[in-house]
Amino acid sequence: MRPHVLLLSALVALPTLACAQAGARVAQPSSSTDPHAAVAERVLRGTPLIDGHNDLPWAIRESKDAPRDVERYDLRTRTAGHTDIARLRAGRVGGQFWSVYIPGEDATKAMGYARVQLEQIDIALRVFAKYPDVLEPITTAQGFRDAFARGRIGSVMGMEGGHAIENSLGALRAYHAMGARYMTLTHNVHLDWADAHVPNPRHGGLTAFGKEVVREMNRLGMLVDLSHTSPATMSDALDVSEAPVMWSHSNAFAVANHTRNVPDSILRRLPRNGGVVMVTFVPGFVSQAQVDWNRTPAAERRGPAPGATLAQVADHLDHIKRVAGADHVGIGGDFDGIDDVVRGLEDVSTYPALFAELSRRGWTEAELRKLAGENVLRAMAQAERVAARLQRERAPSTATIEQLDRRTP
């Protein structure tokens, strides 16, 4: 699993872990007996459920049995992680942004961020090639729709962490040419040009070069992903971006006040921008009780970690819908990037249960279709239209961080 999870996600009690490892599941009602399960089934059969963030390429890289071995990490069998073909089908997944995450810490920097990023892109591309009857590589909103119509899972790469471009707009363009269609501006470290959500910000948001990164992403048609960024970085990106932004895997700060979540002041700006917050299933970002437990010094903790529930994930979706509107919500589970899971959302097979719960809470079928995929498809298509216009108006940027931020090379 990714090393940052050990720092930021919830530590669920051992009995809970044992239950999850044993394959325990919250019983999902049958669509033949539960009208809300029937609604979920109908929505997900007619609309591609597009998840914003799955870390399968990193899970393959870190596999204990066969690190980096795409052939041996067989998705046609039940894997040790959260994702395989049978469970993707059971979860009605219709499209997936596969994260090609790389750590931003010094150990990865010593190896070379670009090298590790290229290795992760290679793993993702090999996964797509291994299962062509299931995973269809795509790079556009229409590609998602076409793959879904053919019964395949539209599959596209999303970069997690702007450190991978090594302060180079040329590198950004090269990653886009390889098929990456979003980039999370930061991960859990501040960059030379952007502040992450972690303490001790360096810039108060985006530097001049950071704003140029956003502009160049707009010109390319690459979605600006603001998960992991500070509120100031979120605000600066919204000020600059001419295309909808996204949060590939984040929740509502008002519901659980973890710094990885999105404050209401930002949510209220989404209708004007057109962006989408794709709610994630990380217990430490979902449950306020878990946030508080994680903040308590280990020696002072009493009892097991509280964990998080499917109902609490639904609370985040309800809140974002109420503040930003039903046009600005999506799903970004972060499966295979987490060690601990939400009760009721243990792997990629469980999405229908969440949609049934939302139906039970009064979400309409039209709203559920937006949540499933229509919102992110709209945002992606709009970003493509903005890119087409900007490519007519201006050439690729040749700006450097030294020029824009007045640095000595």
Side-chain angles (χ1 to χ4, degrees):
M1 294 296 177
R2 298 186 301 181
H4 74 281
V5 173
L6 299 176
L7 296 174
L8 293 173
S9 71
L11 296 173
V12 178
L14 288 176
T16 302
L17 278 173
C19 180
Q21 291 166 353
R25 294 286 180 272
V26 174
Q28 297 190 32
S30 167
S31 59
S32 63
T33 58
D34 182 348
H36 300 291
V39 168
E41 180 74 7
R42 187 160 57 246
V43 166
L44 298 180
R45 282 194 179 278
T47 304
L49 189 162
I50 300 174
D51 181 277
H53 199 91
N54 184 302
D55 275 296
L56 176 67
W58 190 257
I60 293 173
R61 183 187 184 95
E62 297 291 289
S63 170
K64 293 179 180 179
D65 297 329
R68 309 185 193 195
D69 192 335
V70 171
E71 294 302 313
R72 288 186 60 187
Y73 199 98
D74 187 0
L75 298 183
R76 297 196 191 279
T77 65
R78 187 178 181 91
T79 66
H82 304 134
T83 307
D84 53 51
I85 291 170
R87 286 183 284 175
L88 286 166
R89 293 303 196 193
R92 302 297 184 199
V93 176
Q96 182 67 61
F97 285 92
W98 301 99
S99 173
V100 285
Y101 157 79
I102 66 168
E105 287 72 27
D106 289 342
T108 307
K109 185 176 183 179
M111 289 189 286
Y113 289 140
R115 169 192 160 183
V116 181
Q117 184 64 83
L118 290 171
E119 290 173 350
Q120 289 308 103
I121 289 173
D122 170 68
I123 288 175
L125 293 176
R126 285 190 287 140
V127 170
F128 300 166
K130 182 173 171 60
Y131 308 100
D133 57 323
V134 179
L135 305 179
E136 181 168 328
I138 62 97
T139 55
T140 65
Q142 188 60 45
F144 271 127
R145 294 187 188 278
D146 292 344
F148 183 69
R150 287 189 280 268
R152 297 175 187 156
I153 299 170
S155 296
V156 64
M157 292 179 289
M159 296 168 60
E160 188 174 15
H163 49 280
I165 71 171
E166 298 189 8
N167 299 338
S168 166
L169 296 178
L172 174 69
R173 288 188 287 271
Y175 292 135
H176 176 268
M178 293 176 199
R181 286 300 180 269
Y182 74 62
M183 183 173 75
T184 322
L185 296 188
T186 69
H187 192 245
N188 292 333
V189 294
H190 302 303
L191 306 187
D192 292 336
W193 46 270
D195 286 335
H197 70 98
V198 294
N200 305 314
R202 295 169 54 186
H203 314 293
L206 291 172
T207 69
F209 181 76
K211 293 173 183 178
E212 188 72 357
V213 170
V214 171
R215 283 189 283 267
E216 189 64 7
M217 291 176 71
N218 285 172
R219 195 193 67 82
L220 290 169
M222 197 173 187
L223 287 165
V224 176
D225 178 16
L226 298 175
S227 288
H228 288 281
T229 64
S230 70
T233 296
M234 296 177 194
S235 184
D236 283 350
L238 284 167
D239 289 343
V240 172
S241 184
E242 297 181 58
V245 300
M246 72 184 301
W247 284 258
S248 67
H249 58 311
S250 291
N251 292 344
F253 186 84
V255 179
N257 62 12
H258 193 288
T259 57
R260 273 283 280 103
N261 292 340
V262 187
D264 282 2
S265 59
I266 298 294
L267 292 178
R268 285 192 286 269
R269 296 184 64 180
L270 290 191
R272 182 172 182 179
N273 169 264
V276 180
V277 178
M278 306 183 83
V279 164
T280 196
F281 306 158
V282 182
F285 307 157
V286 170
S287 162
Q288 183 62 52
Q290 184 67 55
V291 173
D292 295 340
W293 193 89
N294 287 347
R295 288 174 178 158
T296 304
E300 299 174 20
R301 291 172 181 165
R302 297 291 181 268
T309 66
L310 181 153
Q312 290 172 318
V313 172
D315 292 342
H316 284 269
L317 287 162
D318 280 340
H319 182 84
I320 295 169
K321 182 169 77 112
R322 184 164 55 251
V323 175
D327 291 337
H328 305 287
V329 288
I331 300 291
D334 204 8
F335 285 123
D336 277 311
I338 52 178
D339 293 319
D340 307 319
V341 295
V342 169
R343 293 188 293 276
L345 293 168
E346 293 86 358
D347 59 35
V348 296
S349 72
T350 58
Y351 297 102
L354 178 59
F355 279 75
E357 171 63 16
L358 295 172
S359 173
R360 208 168 283 118
R361 292 179 179 214
W363 286 52
T364 67
E365 290 194 33
E367 290 171 337
L368 292 173
R369 286 194 294 272
K370 290 179 179 182
L371 171 68
E374 288 180 0
N375 285 342
V376 72
L377 287 171
R378 171 194 44 78
M380 193 174 182
Q382 188 173 342
E384 291 164 9
R385 290 192 293 272
V386 168
R389 172 176 60 80
L390 293 178
Q391 288 169 24
R392 293 192 299 269
E393 295 175 358
R394 63 179 188 245
S397 174
T398 59
T400 67
I401 194 169
E402 291 81 13
Q403 293 169 336
L404 295 182
D405 292 345
R406 300 173 184 260
R407 297 177 180 226
T408 302

